[in-house]
mmCIF file of all heavy atoms in Angstrom:
data_model
loop_
_atom_site.group_PDB
_atom_site.id
_atom_site.type_symbol
_atom_site.label_atom_id
_atom_site.label_comp_id
_atom_site.label_asym_id
_atom_site.label_seq_id
_atom_site.Cartn_x
_atom_site.Cartn_y
_atom_site.Cartn_z
ATOM 1 N N ARG A 208 5.117 43.303 14.281
ATOM 2 C CA ARG A 208 5.336 42.727 15.675
ATOM 3 C C ARG A 208 4.675 43.476 16.759
ATOM 4 O O ARG A 208 4.085 43.068 17.611
ATOM 5 C CB ARG A 208 6.826 42.424 15.840
ATOM 6 C CG ARG A 208 7.439 41.355 14.927
ATOM 7 C CD ARG A 208 8.876 41.155 15.345
ATOM 8 N NE ARG A 208 9.492 40.207 14.555
ATOM 9 C CZ ARG A 208 9.540 38.873 14.736
ATOM 10 N NH1 ARG A 208 8.948 38.470 15.865
ATOM 11 N NH2 ARG A 208 10.153 38.021 13.960
ATOM 12 N N TYR A 211 0.979 42.942 16.976
ATOM 13 C CA TYR A 211 0.620 41.628 17.594
ATOM 14 C C TYR A 211 0.944 41.657 19.058
ATOM 15 O O TYR A 211 0.188 41.056 19.858
ATOM 16 C CB TYR A 211 1.346 40.543 16.864
ATOM 17 C CG TYR A 211 0.737 40.016 15.550
ATOM 18 C CD1 TYR A 211 1.083 40.619 14.400
ATOM 19 C CD2 TYR A 211 -0.313 39.059 15.621
ATOM 20 C CE1 TYR A 211 0.417 40.233 13.225
ATOM 21 C CE2 TYR A 211 -0.863 38.555 14.514
ATOM 22 C CZ TYR A 211 -0.514 39.120 13.241
ATOM 23 O OH TYR A 211 -1.204 38.690 12.104
ATOM 24 N N GLU A 212 2.016 42.257 19.411
ATOM 25 C CA GLU A 212 2.299 42.360 20.976
ATOM 26 C C GLU A 212 1.365 43.174 21.543
ATOM 27 O O GLU A 212 0.920 42.830 22.822
ATOM 28 C CB GLU A 212 3.787 42.929 21.041
ATOM 29 C CG GLU A 212 4.778 41.955 20.607
ATOM 30 C CD GLU A 212 6.159 42.636 20.669
ATOM 31 O OE1 GLU A 212 6.284 43.790 21.144
ATOM 32 O OE2 GLU A 212 7.148 42.010 20.352
ATOM 33 N N LYS A 230 6.888 36.202 5.255
ATOM 34 C CA LYS A 230 7.431 34.983 5.637
ATOM 35 C C LYS A 230 7.128 34.720 7.125
ATOM 36 O O LYS A 230 6.912 35.606 7.876
ATOM 37 C CB LYS A 230 9.048 35.069 5.328
ATOM 38 C CG LYS A 230 9.412 35.430 3.997
ATOM 39 C CD LYS A 230 9.064 34.361 3.044
ATOM 40 C CE LYS A 230 9.496 34.796 1.648
ATOM 41 N NZ LYS A 230 9.077 33.659 0.655
ATOM 42 N N PRO A 231 7.333 33.390 7.430
ATOM 43 C CA PRO A 231 7.071 33.098 8.928
ATOM 44 C C PRO A 231 8.144 33.773 9.850
ATOM 45 O O PRO A 231 9.299 33.853 9.454
ATOM 46 C CB PRO A 231 7.194 31.508 8.950
ATOM 47 C CG PRO A 231 6.878 31.102 7.665
ATOM 48 C CD PRO A 231 7.389 32.325 6.641
ATOM 49 N N TRP A 232 7.645 34.314 10.933
ATOM 50 C CA TRP A 232 8.568 34.932 11.913
ATOM 51 C C TRP A 232 9.256 33.791 12.665
ATOM 52 O O TRP A 232 8.587 32.822 13.360
ATOM 53 C CB TRP A 232 7.859 35.843 12.972
ATOM 54 C CG TRP A 232 7.289 37.083 12.283
ATOM 55 C CD1 TRP A 232 7.707 37.498 11.038
ATOM 56 C CD2 TRP A 232 6.287 37.859 12.728
ATOM 57 N NE1 TRP A 232 7.063 38.629 10.733
ATOM 58 C CE2 TRP A 232 6.134 39.002 11.763
ATOM 59 C CE3 TRP A 232 5.557 37.894 13.840
ATOM 60 C CZ2 TRP A 232 5.308 40.001 12.012
ATOM 61 C CZ3 TRP A 232 4.659 39.031 13.996
ATOM 62 C CH2 TRP A 232 4.469 40.041 13.059
ATOM 63 N N LYS A 233 10.523 33.827 12.674
ATOM 64 C CA LYS A 233 11.373 32.737 13.352
ATOM 65 C C LYS A 233 11.569 33.029 14.792
ATOM 66 O O LYS A 233 11.590 32.096 15.663
ATOM 67 C CB LYS A 233 12.701 32.687 12.649
ATOM 68 C CG LYS A 233 12.686 32.227 11.277
ATOM 69 C CD LYS A 233 14.073 32.066 10.600
ATOM 70 C CE LYS A 233 13.919 31.572 9.164
ATOM 71 N NZ LYS A 233 15.335 31.419 8.507
ATOM 72 N N VAL A 234 11.598 34.260 15.201
ATOM 73 C CA VAL A 234 11.692 34.665 16.596
ATOM 74 C C VAL A 234 10.339 34.662 17.219
ATOM 75 O O VAL A 234 9.476 35.390 16.789
ATOM 76 C CB VAL A 234 12.413 36.031 16.716
ATOM 77 C CG1 VAL A 234 12.600 36.455 18.262
ATOM 78 C CG2 VAL A 234 13.720 35.999 16.095
ATOM 79 N N MET A 235 10.080 33.661 18.171
ATOM 80 C CA MET A 235 8.755 33.549 18.702
ATOM 81 C C MET A 235 8.474 34.602 19.789
ATOM 82 O O MET A 235 8.628 34.312 21.020
ATOM 83 C CB MET A 235 8.669 32.163 19.288
ATOM 84 C CG MET A 235 8.455 31.063 18.261
ATOM 85 S SD MET A 235 7.050 31.156 17.187
ATOM 86 C CE MET A 235 7.499 31.852 15.734
ATOM 87 N N THR A 236 8.218 35.812 19.399
ATOM 88 C CA THR A 236 7.788 36.759 20.307
ATOM 89 C C THR A 236 6.257 36.718 20.622
ATOM 90 O O THR A 236 5.658 35.800 19.977
ATOM 91 C CB THR A 236 8.123 38.172 19.772
ATOM 92 O OG1 THR A 236 7.444 38.382 18.498
ATOM 93 C CG2 THR A 236 9.522 38.423 19.544
ATOM 94 N N THR A 237 5.693 37.646 21.400
ATOM 95 C CA THR A 237 4.351 37.519 21.790
ATOM 96 C C THR A 237 3.501 37.819 20.524
ATOM 97 O O THR A 237 3.763 38.748 19.839
ATOM 98 C CB THR A 237 4.102 38.594 22.959
ATOM 99 O OG1 THR A 237 4.892 38.305 24.024
ATOM 100 C CG2 THR A 237 2.612 38.464 23.250
ATOM 101 N N GLY A 238 2.670 36.895 20.296
ATOM 102 C CA GLY A 238 1.689 36.980 19.139
ATOM 103 C C GLY A 238 2.238 36.584 17.865
ATOM 104 O O GLY A 238 1.583 36.392 16.748
ATOM 105 N N ALA A 239 3.589 36.100 17.771
ATOM 106 C CA ALA A 239 4.208 35.666 16.506
ATOM 107 C C ALA A 239 3.572 34.357 16.133
ATOM 108 O O ALA A 239 3.401 34.065 14.886
ATOM 109 C CB ALA A 239 5.754 35.479 16.742
ATOM 110 N N GLU A 240 3.218 33.390 17.053
ATOM 111 C CA GLU A 240 2.674 32.093 16.689
ATOM 112 C C GLU A 240 1.228 32.319 16.033
ATOM 113 O O GLU A 240 0.963 31.666 15.070
ATOM 114 C CB GLU A 240 2.588 31.321 17.976
ATOM 115 C CG GLU A 240 1.867 29.905 17.568
ATOM 116 C CD GLU A 240 2.623 29.092 16.615
ATOM 117 O OE1 GLU A 240 3.991 29.282 16.595
ATOM 118 O OE2 GLU A 240 2.118 28.271 15.906
ATOM 119 N N ALA A 241 0.416 33.276 16.485
ATOM 120 C CA ALA A 241 -0.879 33.525 15.846
ATOM 121 C C ALA A 241 -0.631 34.033 14.458
ATOM 122 O O ALA A 241 -1.431 33.659 13.545
ATOM 123 C CB ALA A 241 -1.642 34.612 16.691
ATOM 124 N N ARG A 242 0.381 34.909 14.162
ATOM 125 C CA ARG A 242 0.558 35.382 12.870
ATOM 126 C C ARG A 242 1.038 34.282 11.968
ATOM 127 O O ARG A 242 0.642 34.197 10.687
ATOM 128 C CB ARG A 242 1.577 36.562 13.032
ATOM 129 C CG ARG A 242 1.817 37.162 11.651
ATOM 130 C CD ARG A 242 3.071 36.821 10.890
ATOM 131 N NE ARG A 242 3.263 37.636 9.870
ATOM 132 C CZ ARG A 242 4.224 37.331 8.943
ATOM 133 N NH1 ARG A 242 4.923 36.236 9.046
ATOM 134 N NH2 ARG A 242 4.449 38.171 7.954
ATOM 135 N N ASN A 243 1.808 33.369 12.434
ATOM 136 C CA ASN A 243 2.375 32.211 11.628
ATOM 137 C C ASN A 243 1.191 31.313 11.313
ATOM 138 O O ASN A 243 1.135 30.663 10.223
ATOM 139 C CB ASN A 243 3.465 31.551 12.276
ATOM 140 C CG ASN A 243 4.746 32.444 12.367
ATOM 141 O OD1 ASN A 243 4.954 33.342 11.630
ATOM 142 N ND2 ASN A 243 5.661 32.006 13.238
ATOM 143 N N VAL A 244 0.216 31.065 12.177
ATOM 144 C CA VAL A 244 -0.921 30.274 11.993
ATOM 145 C C VAL A 244 -1.709 30.859 10.808
ATOM 146 O O VAL A 244 -2.143 30.141 9.967
ATOM 147 C CB VAL A 244 -1.657 30.086 13.226
ATOM 148 C CG1 VAL A 244 -3.094 29.458 12.894
ATOM 149 C CG2 VAL A 244 -0.904 29.242 14.294
ATOM 150 N N ARG A 247 0.044 30.245 7.408
ATOM 151 C CA ARG A 247 -0.060 28.766 7.073
ATOM 152 C C ARG A 247 -1.526 28.529 6.537
ATOM 153 O O ARG A 247 -1.725 27.807 5.629
ATOM 154 C CB ARG A 247 0.293 27.850 8.180
ATOM 155 C CG ARG A 247 1.731 27.786 8.501
ATOM 156 C CD ARG A 247 2.034 26.563 9.469
ATOM 157 N NE ARG A 247 1.414 26.722 10.672
ATOM 158 C CZ ARG A 247 1.936 27.198 11.778
ATOM 159 N NH1 ARG A 247 3.159 27.718 11.699
ATOM 160 N NH2 ARG A 247 1.290 27.265 12.947
#
Side-chain angles (χ1 to χ4, degrees):
R208 291 183 182 271
Y211 277 92
E212 292 177 0
K230 303 296 181 181
W232 289 344
K233 297 182 180 180
V234 180
M235 286 294 103
T236 58
T237 305
E240 180 60 27
R242 188 260 188 188
N243 291 342
V244 169
R247 290 193 296 267

